Amino acid sequence: MKITFTWLALLLVLSGCKPEAQKDTMDFLETKPPKNRVEGKGFSIPVYDFEGLESLLHQDDEYTYVINFWATWCAPCIAELPFFERLGTAYQDEKVRVVLVNLDMAKMWETHLVPFLEKREMRSYVVVLQDPKQNSWIPKVYKDWSGAIPATLIYNSGLRKFYEKPFSYEELQSELNNFLKTKTHENPDHTTDIRSGTPGTGIQPPAAGNS
Amino acid sequence: MALLVLAFSPRQPETAKGYAVGDVATDFELRNIDGNTVSLSDYKDAKGFLVIFTCNTCPYAVAYEDRIIALDKKYKELGVPVIAINPNNPKVQPGDSFEKMKQRAREKNFTFPYLLDEGQEIFPQYGALRTPHVFLLEKQSRGPVVRYIGAIDDNYADAAEVTEPYVENAVDAMLKGEEIAVTNTRAIGCSIKT
């Protein structure tokens, strides 16, 4: 079928350059027992509701977190996943953590998610968010997120931005570089919203200053 | 005090595109799967509309198909029909072509018009961001006024587990002339393919 073909094509593109690297763990997440696990050849992925996942969005440490919300049924998400994988590898020595938060429905785990992960052998930390009460948790990720994916949150102790749009690798890298330059405690509460085609819809930092 | 705060705030963010609750929605003339065009103004006796941006290919849209049919059956006779619009560009998402829309509507016995947003001019005016995305409109003297924007209900996975049927609550309140308690909601959905 078409979907399988697309995955196969992506797999072929990727397979030439798969890096060998240590898989990151998120100890703060693993302190709570997950609601469930999605198991496959070579992986066991925790399933959390939003309450279980929330600490991932609010770490105040030396890392920059790149958190991508995706699903196997979302074609633009699948198209940009390799960029997140590549980013994680390229920045593995720079205190960057790439986390892929999967939103597949439970009934798609066995039929779609497991086969997908078995083929792709993701390097990034993958976690499943399973919480049908979306209207309560979506605004807690970012107040103006409509709920459409792909969507990405990047934050560290100094800066926080939300992107409701797909990324190219260059855009992703350029955004991340801004974060690595601004790892301070200046304005941790300001989340900026970047939508495709509509720059600057979120809170803007004052014009004067360091940019 | 409030003035002071405003005066020292950074420049106001650009207004997000699309409608807010209370805005007058644009009418449209879009091709239906039966070959005719459909406009809001065709419905002389309607009290309002459930304009639902949806498509064939998004699993969330598919998960909601039966519930959309049920909404139409329940509210059409009360004067609030469903008008479904596929906002996706079929060149980007071939599964959402006009032919595939016809096919899906036949398979599921859609009871409502299923329109293609050809040229993708309508969904940006409404500010639809994903599928499915509901806009409840009420016919008022100044035009079709947006009364609710968001999700159909609070559980995509299981209709039996729904505790808040947002759209039904909104239409019921609107028809009774009562205030709509929840006017904006969110849900995970597929981005619109442009």
Side-chain angles (χ1 to χ4, degrees):
Chain A
M1 295 241 320
K2 191 181 149 295
I3 292 172
T4 320
F5 179 77
T6 311
W7 286 351
L8 210 65
L10 281 165
L11 190 73
L12 284 172
V13 171
L14 277 176
S15 54
C17 53
K18 186 164 286 296
E20 288 300 324
Q22 195 68 37
K23 211 171 163 80
D24 208 349
T25 54
M26 307 289 147
D27 299 338
F28 52 85
L29 275 182
E30 308 276 357
T31 56
K32 287 176 199 156
K35 279 171 62 180
N36 208 331
R37 295 196 85 88
V38 176
E39 317 265 355
K41 275 189 215 99
F43 61 84
S44 169
I45 288 168
V47 178
Y48 290 102
D49 59 12
F50 187 73
E51 198 190 340
L53 187 83
E54 198 167 12
S55 63
L56 173 65
L57 312 180
H58 302 285
Q59 292 298 303
D60 187 8
D61 55 23
E62 73 274 30
Y63 285 94
T64 295
Y65 290 83
V66 179
I67 299 169
N68 175 245
F69 294 86
W70 68 287
T72 59
W73 46 260
C74 164
C77 303
I78 300 308
E80 68 175 8
L81 275 185
F83 308 145
F84 287 90
E85 288 278 274
R86 194 172 145 198
L87 194 79
T89 306
Y91 287 81
Q92 58 184 321
D93 299 327
E94 310 215 26
K95 299 278 182 198
V96 172
R97 281 176 155 167
V98 175
V99 182
L100 305 176
V101 178
N102 176 271
L103 293 162
D104 277 33
M105 300 181 217
K107 65 179 179 193
M108 299 174 91
W109 292 346
E110 286 307 313
T111 56
H112 291 74
L113 182 57
V114 169
F116 180 83
L117 293 173
E118 285 182 345
K119 270 187 200 164
R120 294 284 285 264
E121 297 177 29
M122 309 296 273
R123 178 199 173 274
S124 311
Y125 187 87
V126 182
V127 57
V128 174
L129 171 57
Q130 173 67 10
D131 195 334
K133 297 294 172 191
Q134 307 166 84
N135 193 53
S136 69
W137 64 258
I138 288 171
K140 290 182 190 165
V141 177
Y142 176 60
K143 63 178 172 48
D144 290 335
W145 182 15
S146 78
I149 54 173
T152 301
L153 173 72
I154 307 182
Y155 80 93
N156 59 24
S157 57
L159 193 61
R160 191 177 183 90
K161 281 191 182 182
F162 187 80
Y163 310 82
E164 186 172 330
K165 62 163 215 146
F167 271 110
S168 70
Y169 184 72
E170 289 69 28
E171 287 172 318
L172 197 54
Q173 200 179 21
S174 140
E175 284 300 321
L176 180 59
N177 286 338
N178 288 336
F179 278 82
L180 297 178
K181 274 185 276 179
T182 56
K183 226 179 335 184
T184 66
H185 284 75
E186 277 166 29
N187 52 352
D189 293 330
H190 285 189
T191 304
T192 308
D193 174 15
I194 315 287
R195 289 171 199 273
S196 41
T198 56
T201 51
I203 298 163
Q204 299 295 308
N210 50 19
S211 67
Chain B
M1 196 57 201
L3 276 174
L4 267 179
V5 171
L6 275 178
F8 289 101
S9 292
R11 196 190 308 177
Q12 287 288 306
E14 243 176 82
T15 313
K17 287 179 187 167
Y19 297 134
V21 168
D23 288 349
V24 176
T26 187
D27 199 351
F28 43 74
E29 190 176 345
L30 296 174
R31 191 153 58 114
N32 189 14
I33 42 172
D34 65 4
N36 298 318
T37 58
V38 169
S39 298
L40 299 178
S41 57
D42 299 338
Y43 294 78
K44 303 290 178 212
D45 300 324
K47 293 178 182 152
F49 305 93
L50 281 167
V51 174
I52 305 182
F53 293 89
T54 187
C55 68
N56 289 354
T57 50
C58 173
Y60 286 81
V62 172
Y64 272 113
E65 278 173 337
D66 291 339
R67 283 176 260 184
I68 294 172
I69 294 168
L71 282 173
D72 185 58
K73 285 186 174 157
K74 179 171 176 185
Y75 289 110
K76 185 157 48 186
E77 55 190 55
L78 298 172
V80 187
V82 166
I83 297 180
I85 302 178
N86 166 22
N88 286 341
N89 180 351
K91 290 198 180 107
V92 180
Q93 191 81 335
D96 286 323
S97 70
F98 194 63
E99 283 309 311
K100 298 275 189 188
M101 286 170 62
K102 286 187 197 171
Q103 194 184 325
R104 190 64 191 161
R106 237 185 349 254
E107 286 165 6
K108 294 295 296 181
N109 287 317
F110 282 180
T111 55
F112 44 82
Y114 188 22
L115 316 178
L116 179 61
D117 188 2
E118 269 173 317
Q120 299 189 300
E121 286 177 4
I122 298 304
F123 89 77
Q125 292 184 50
Y126 276 72
L129 294 165
R130 56 170 196 272
T131 54
H133 207 165
V134 181
F135 291 74
L136 169 63
L137 312 180
E138 181 176 34
K139 241 197 222 174
Q140 297 182 1
S141 53
R142 60 195 177 111
V145 173
V146 179
R147 300 298 312 275
Y148 169 86
I149 301 174
I152 290 169
D153 57 45
D154 70 345
N155 197 317
Y156 63 82
D158 188 351
E161 293 289 313
V162 168
T163 54
E164 301 208 40
Y166 300 121
V167 164
E168 290 191 41
N169 290 348
V171 181
D172 290 344
M174 182 183 93
L175 289 174
K176 282 189 217 154
E178 293 169 1
E179 197 181 330
I180 297 172
V182 178
T183 56
N184 282 281
T185 60
R186 283 167 259 222
I188 289 294
C190 307
S191 59
I192 290 170
K193 308 300 182 293
T194 56

